Amino acid sequence: MNGKDLFGRCLYDYWFDNQPEDMLTKTNLTDEEVLPTSYLFRDFEAMPLPEQEALLLSKGKVLDVGAGSGTHSVWLQEKGLEVTALDFSEYGCKVLKDRNIKNVVHQNFFDFTSEEKFDTILFLMNGIGIAGKAIYTDRIFNKLDELLNKNGSAYIHSSDLKYLYEAGGGYLLPKEGYYGDVRFTINYKGEKEHFNWTYLDEQTLGFFAVENNYNIKKITQSDFGDFLVRVWKKI
């Protein structure tokens, strides 16, 4: 990130100042499209199936990675679970606190440390993408080693982007690197922010899980091709 925190500023403006201007998003593989800010504050019924399943399966102490607007954390806390909402955005964390989430941590996931371990760790809204590039996915599992209880589970929401190459869009599978690695751009109120993001297909995610001594099981898949897997440490 380049420090503008446009995503967090958009959440903040919508929540505190009633300025519902939407973000524009695009990648090197997709055209610019509108991301309605109201969708980021959706309720359970409006969530895609993988997100709903992850919330229903959550138990014990929960770490919501990249909590954003808090839409998942709020639901879990209302169900009586002990939730830690983790987000790198200063503006986003102000929203999380104002939504009465009890445990809010303003920090990057890879820098986050905790004396307590978690029973459930969530990576929703294609949250595995925080690795930046597929080759760095090991970093995710290294942090799970630190943060996940012995019998805990992480739920990872991801997508397979191969359809973009197969849909006649003119893109060729890259000769080097991974086809799910993208360069993301957010445009909010005329300002732009660029960052790397990765979308791991099920096979690639399974490879990293096994290499890091984790079990993996597919839970569900939506009609749009995104899916949810559960990973847990081999004993």
Side-chain angles (χ1 to χ4, degrees):
M1 293 285 186
N2 60 12
K4 293 183 178 180
D5 193 8
L6 296 184
F7 193 91
R9 283 166 53 186
C10 181
L11 298 178
Y12 184 95
D13 290 348
Y14 180 91
W15 183 256
F16 287 104
D17 299 332
N18 193 27
Q19 297 180 21
E21 185 169 331
D22 297 326
M23 286 179 282
L24 301 175
T25 65
K26 67 173 298 185
T27 74
N28 55 300
L29 296 178
T30 56
D31 295 329
E32 190 170 72
E33 58 184 20
V34 176
L35 176 58
T37 310
S38 59
Y39 178 72
L40 300 173
F41 290 86
R42 61 197 176 280
D43 59 17
F44 183 85
E45 287 71 24
M47 295 179 192
L49 181 60
E51 292 182 20
Q52 292 180 341
E53 289 288 341
L55 296 185
L56 291 170
L57 290 167
S58 296
K59 62 182 182 180
K61 295 180 184 295
V62 182
L63 178 65
D64 184 8
V65 180
S69 68
T71 189
H72 304 116
S73 293
V74 167
W75 188 89
L76 290 166
Q77 187 170 275
E78 289 177 347
K79 296 300 178 181
L81 278 73
E82 183 178 334
V83 184
T84 297
L86 176 68
D87 205 281
F88 76 96
S89 167
E90 179 181 358
Y91 288 96
C93 285
K94 291 178 180 179
V95 174
L96 294 170
K97 291 177 181 178
D98 198 64
R99 299 193 74 182
N100 296 317
I101 297 172
K102 296 177 182 178
N103 302 313
V104 176
V105 179
H106 173 213
Q107 199 166 23
N108 184 297
F109 172 69
F110 298 108
D111 297 327
F112 175 62
T113 59
S114 174
E115 293 183 1
E116 66 175 358
K117 293 184 181 292
F118 297 89
D119 303 297
T120 305
I121 299 180
L122 300 175
F123 298 89
L124 302 183
M125 291 192 71
N126 288 288
I128 194 71
I130 61 174
K133 293 186 177 182
I135 58 173
Y136 302 133
T137 305
D138 286 334
R139 298 178 65 202
I140 300 283
F141 287 96
N142 290 340
K143 290 300 292 186
L144 289 182
D145 287 343
E146 297 177 23
L147 298 172
L148 197 60
N149 263 331
K150 180 179 178 181
N151 296 313
S153 298
Y155 293 95
I156 298 173
H157 180 204
S158 190
S159 303
D160 186 347
L161 295 191
K162 188 173 288 184
Y163 75 93
L164 292 174
Y165 298 90
E166 297 173 341
Y171 298 107
L172 299 176
L173 287 170
K175 295 181 180 179
E176 297 182 356
Y178 173 62
Y179 68 82
D181 291 344
V182 300
R183 184 67 173 167
F184 219 100
T185 299
I186 289 176
N187 186 332
Y188 179 61
K189 292 185 175 181
E191 292 188 71
K192 292 185 178 182
E193 191 166 22
H194 310 278
F195 53 93
N196 294 325
W197 201 257
T198 189
Y199 295 84
L200 297 181
D201 67 278
E202 188 179 350
Q203 182 177 358
T204 301
L205 185 50
F207 167 80
F208 283 105
V210 172
E211 286 292 301
N212 286 276
N213 201 36
Y214 277 78
N215 297 297
I216 182 169
K217 179 182 179 181
K218 185 175 181 178
I219 302 298
T220 191
Q221 181 170 321
S222 79
D223 294 336
F224 300 99
D226 55 315
F227 60 91
L228 178 74
V229 298
R230 171 193 173 215
V231 299
W232 69 102
K233 192 73 175 177
K234 292 182 179 179
I235 300 175

